Amino acid sequence: MNCVMCKSGTLVESVTNHVVSLKDTIIIVKGVPCSECDQCGEKFYDDAVADQLEKIVRQITETTFTEIAVVAYSKDVA
Ligand SMILES: [Zn+2]
């Protein structure tokens, strides 16, 4: 599968840290599985991973009020 950004790179499986900046909070989700382009370094998430990231971020914004939250990526957040 080729990279949609640079069209020439190859996507390889990787893990990354996903950072979300909200108005009052910065959320860092560590160890997120992704595909990374070996040419331009662009990272892509599967739909399932992107959905899960949304759930994780939503849960944090509803339950914590810290300025910086660091969590490990988990498939278990409902
Ligand atoms: Zn690329």
Side-chain angles (χ1 to χ4, degrees):
M1 185 174 158
N2 281 349
C3 174
V4 296
M5 296 298 288
C6 65
K7 312 284 188 202
S8 61
T10 302
L11 297 179
V12 294
E13 281 187 33
S14 183
V15 289
T16 188
N17 298 326
H18 181 69
V19 181
V20 184
S21 296
L22 304 173
K23 190 161 67 79
D24 298 317
T25 309
I26 295 170
I27 298 169
I28 302 167
V29 186
K30 299 197 300 182
V32 183
C34 67
S35 299
E36 182 174 357
C37 175
D38 65 355
Q39 290 281 330
C40 69
E42 187 71 25
K43 296 183 177 71
F44 303 92
Y45 299 122
D46 284 352
D47 287 347
V49 172
D51 284 352
Q52 194 60 25
L53 281 171
E54 266 183 42
K55 288 179 191 167
I56 292 169
V57 167
R58 192 184 320 133
Q59 191 187 59
I60 291 170
T61 57
E62 288 171 355
T63 57
T64 66
F65 301 93
T66 55
E67 291 187 354
I68 299 176
V70 182
V71 295
Y73 178 79
S74 166
K75 295 190 176 95
D76 297 331
V77 175

